Amino acid sequence: SQKIEQNSEALNIQEGKTATLTCNYTNYSPAYLQWYRQDPGRGPVFLLLIRENEKEKRKERLKVTFDTTLKQSLFHITASQPADSATYLCALEHGNNRLAFGKGNQVVVIP
Amino acid sequence: KAGVTQTPRYLIKTRGQQVTLSCSPISGHRSVSWYQQTPGQGLQFLFEYFSETQRNKGNFPGRFSGRQFSNSRSEMNVSTLELGDSALYLCASSPGQGTNTEAFFGQGTRLTVV
């Protein structure tokens, strides 16, 4: 069956450190993968998109890698700040304009 | 540019009733997708509309339906509500011209079925 797995345990991290989140998937062949941020009671906000032929993408303090052999994406937040505390969702392309989401991984940055 | 607007923000309904939720996409966006988000299942795809046509449908019962109007605004309807339909319903819009575009989400409608 198709699965998208993100760590269900919250990641508690000290301010200034790098947070690394993992997204593993099974039985998908996504042409691209996206990462979103969601704050409580709000809709997800797009952060980054990485295509299957790209190994790495960066945007400011964010970095995403995509390994189609391992069927895994890693999401890094460098120099983390308390304002980065949120739930981060990975989403796979799953057909024409359709996304399949993981359940998300909560990040808590401790000042 | 105004974002995606969903109305109402909160709804309380009784089992067996029906409900209609509304979504106004970003101006110029022709694709509207709907998702259901619950703590147990996460975000699950309901359906996607493009230029008034349903292009994709998720694995939800026929009680869940939707439509899109000529101005790209979309509605979703849930009939014969069940307690398990309590969730955050999210709408996302995108230009719809290609598949590798970001989705812009609204704030959602929190539906509680009692």
PDB file of all heavy atoms in Angstrom, chain A residues 2 9 20 35 43 56 58-59 79 91 94 100:
ATOM      1  N   GLN A   2       0.298   2.375  -0.353  1.00  0.00           N
ATOM      2  CA  GLN A   2       1.055   3.612  -0.412  1.00  0.00           C
ATOM      3  C   GLN A   2       1.153   4.244   0.971  1.00  0.00           C
ATOM      4  O   GLN A   2       0.171   4.306   1.702  1.00  0.00           O
ATOM      5  CB  GLN A   2       0.367   4.586  -1.370  1.00  0.00           C
ATOM      6  CG  GLN A   2       0.426   4.129  -2.820  1.00  0.00           C
ATOM      7  CD  GLN A   2      -0.341   5.056  -3.723  1.00  0.00           C
ATOM      8  OE1 GLN A   2      -1.439   5.455  -3.417  1.00  0.00           O
ATOM      9  NE2 GLN A   2       0.262   5.385  -4.860  1.00  0.00           N
ATOM     10  N   GLU A   9       6.776  11.789  16.566  1.00  0.00           N
ATOM     11  CA  GLU A   9       7.250  12.441  17.800  1.00  0.00           C
ATOM     12  C   GLU A   9       7.735  13.838  17.487  1.00  0.00           C
ATOM     13  O   GLU A   9       8.418  14.067  16.475  1.00  0.00           O
ATOM     14  CB  GLU A   9       8.418  11.638  18.391  1.00  0.00           C
ATOM     15  CG  GLU A   9       7.965  10.400  19.138  1.00  0.00           C
ATOM     16  CD  GLU A   9       9.129   9.748  19.881  1.00  0.00           C
ATOM     17  OE1 GLU A   9      10.077  10.476  20.258  1.00  0.00           O
ATOM     18  OE2 GLU A   9       9.102   8.537  20.032  1.00  0.00           O
ATOM     19  N   THR A  20      16.450  18.643  11.615  1.00  0.00           N
ATOM     20  CA  THR A  20      16.376  17.792  10.426  1.00  0.00           C
ATOM     21  C   THR A  20      15.165  16.883  10.533  1.00  0.00           C
ATOM     22  O   THR A  20      15.005  16.151  11.507  1.00  0.00           O
ATOM     23  CB  THR A  20      17.648  16.936  10.271  1.00  0.00           C
ATOM     24  OG1 THR A  20      18.776  17.788  10.110  1.00  0.00           O
ATOM     25  CG2 THR A  20      17.529  16.023   9.051  1.00  0.00           C
ATOM     26  N   TRP A  35       7.367  20.741   0.601  1.00  0.00           N
ATOM     27  CA  TRP A  35       7.311  20.864   2.062  1.00  0.00           C
ATOM     28  C   TRP A  35       6.472  22.080   2.412  1.00  0.00           C
ATOM     29  O   TRP A  35       6.586  23.138   1.775  1.00  0.00           O
ATOM     30  CB  TRP A  35       8.706  21.005   2.663  1.00  0.00           C
ATOM     31  CG  TRP A  35       9.435  19.690   2.730  1.00  0.00           C
ATOM     32  CD1 TRP A  35      10.216  19.131   1.753  1.00  0.00           C
ATOM     33  CD2 TRP A  35       9.456  18.781   3.824  1.00  0.00           C
ATOM     34  NE1 TRP A  35      10.715  17.922   2.171  1.00  0.00           N
ATOM     35  CE2 TRP A  35      10.266  17.688   3.445  1.00  0.00           C
ATOM     36  CE3 TRP A  35       8.886  18.770   5.097  1.00  0.00           C
ATOM     37  CZ2 TRP A  35      10.504  16.599   4.291  1.00  0.00           C
ATOM     38  CZ3 TRP A  35       9.130  17.696   5.936  1.00  0.00           C
ATOM     39  CH2 TRP A  35       9.932  16.621   5.531  1.00  0.00           C
ATOM     40  N   GLY A  43      -4.126  27.087   7.757  1.00  0.00           N
ATOM     41  CA  GLY A  43      -3.834  26.216   6.624  1.00  0.00           C
ATOM     42  C   GLY A  43      -2.335  26.111   6.393  1.00  0.00           C
ATOM     43  O   GLY A  43      -1.567  26.968   6.818  1.00  0.00           O
ATOM     44  N   GLU A  56      19.080  18.640  -4.364  1.00  0.00           N
ATOM     45  CA  GLU A  56      19.039  19.550  -3.216  1.00  0.00           C
ATOM     46  C   GLU A  56      18.445  20.884  -3.633  1.00  0.00           C
ATOM     47  O   GLU A  56      18.613  21.327  -4.774  1.00  0.00           O
ATOM     48  CB  GLU A  56      20.477  19.752  -2.717  1.00  0.00           C
ATOM     49  CG  GLU A  56      20.632  20.613  -1.491  1.00  0.00           C
ATOM     50  CD  GLU A  56      22.096  20.737  -1.088  1.00  0.00           C
ATOM     51  OE1 GLU A  56      22.720  19.720  -0.748  1.00  0.00           O
ATOM     52  OE2 GLU A  56      22.607  21.872  -1.123  1.00  0.00           O
ATOM     53  N   ARG A  58      17.648  24.930  -1.845  1.00  0.00           N
ATOM     54  CA  ARG A  58      17.813  25.782  -0.660  1.00  0.00           C
ATOM     55  C   ARG A  58      16.977  27.043  -0.793  1.00  0.00           C
ATOM     56  O   ARG A  58      16.750  27.548  -1.885  1.00  0.00           O
ATOM     57  CB  ARG A  58      19.283  26.193  -0.508  1.00  0.00           C
ATOM     58  CG  ARG A  58      20.216  25.090  -0.117  1.00  0.00           C
ATOM     59  CD  ARG A  58      21.663  25.574  -0.131  1.00  0.00           C
ATOM     60  NE  ARG A  58      22.589  24.473   0.106  1.00  0.00           N
ATOM     61  CZ  ARG A  58      23.166  24.217   1.283  1.00  0.00           C
ATOM     62  NH1 ARG A  58      22.925  24.984   2.324  1.00  0.00           N
ATOM     63  NH2 ARG A  58      23.992  23.189   1.416  1.00  0.00           N
ATOM     64  N   LYS A  59      16.532  27.514   0.363  1.00  0.00           N
ATOM     65  CA  LYS A  59      15.835  28.799   0.419  1.00  0.00           C
ATOM     66  C   LYS A  59      16.099  29.381   1.791  1.00  0.00           C
ATOM     67  O   LYS A  59      15.623  28.863   2.801  1.00  0.00           O
ATOM     68  CB  LYS A  59      14.329  28.613   0.209  1.00  0.00           C
ATOM     69  CG  LYS A  59      13.524  29.895   0.266  1.00  0.00           C
ATOM     70  CD  LYS A  59      12.044  29.598   0.110  1.00  0.00           C
ATOM     71  CE  LYS A  59      11.207  30.836   0.311  1.00  0.00           C
ATOM     72  NZ  LYS A  59       9.751  30.537   0.239  1.00  0.00           N
ATOM     73  N   ALA A  79      20.203  27.151  11.898  1.00  0.00           N
ATOM     74  CA  ALA A  79      20.132  28.292  12.829  1.00  0.00           C
ATOM     75  C   ALA A  79      18.684  28.494  13.278  1.00  0.00           C
ATOM     76  O   ALA A  79      18.124  29.593  13.155  1.00  0.00           O
ATOM     77  CB  ALA A  79      20.682  29.555  12.162  1.00  0.00           C
ATOM     78  N   ALA A  91       4.710  16.617   1.103  1.00  0.00           N
ATOM     79  CA  ALA A  91       3.624  16.301   0.185  1.00  0.00           C
ATOM     80  C   ALA A  91       4.217  15.820  -1.136  1.00  0.00           C
ATOM     81  O   ALA A  91       5.151  16.434  -1.664  1.00  0.00           O
ATOM     82  CB  ALA A  91       2.748  17.531  -0.054  1.00  0.00           C
ATOM     83  N   HIS A  94       0.966  13.353  -6.850  1.00  0.00           N
ATOM     84  CA  HIS A  94       0.261  12.067  -6.931  1.00  0.00           C
ATOM     85  C   HIS A  94      -0.772  12.124  -8.051  1.00  0.00           C
ATOM     86  O   HIS A  94      -1.926  11.782  -7.873  1.00  0.00           O
ATOM     87  CB  HIS A  94      -0.398  11.825  -5.572  1.00  0.00           C
ATOM     88  CG  HIS A  94      -1.090  10.507  -5.434  1.00  0.00           C
ATOM     89  ND1 HIS A  94      -0.564   9.335  -5.903  1.00  0.00           N
ATOM     90  CD2 HIS A  94      -2.270  10.185  -4.872  1.00  0.00           C
ATOM     91  CE1 HIS A  94      -1.389   8.362  -5.641  1.00  0.00           C
ATOM     92  NE2 HIS A  94      -2.433   8.830  -5.019  1.00  0.00           N
ATOM     93  N   ALA A 100      -0.366  14.165  -2.115  1.00  0.00           N
ATOM     94  CA  ALA A 100      -0.580  13.243  -1.005  1.00  0.00           C
ATOM     95  C   ALA A 100       0.338  13.692   0.124  1.00  0.00           C
ATOM     96  O   ALA A 100       1.544  13.867  -0.087  1.00  0.00           O
ATOM     97  CB  ALA A 100      -0.249  11.816  -1.424  1.00  0.00           C
TER      98      ALA A 100
END
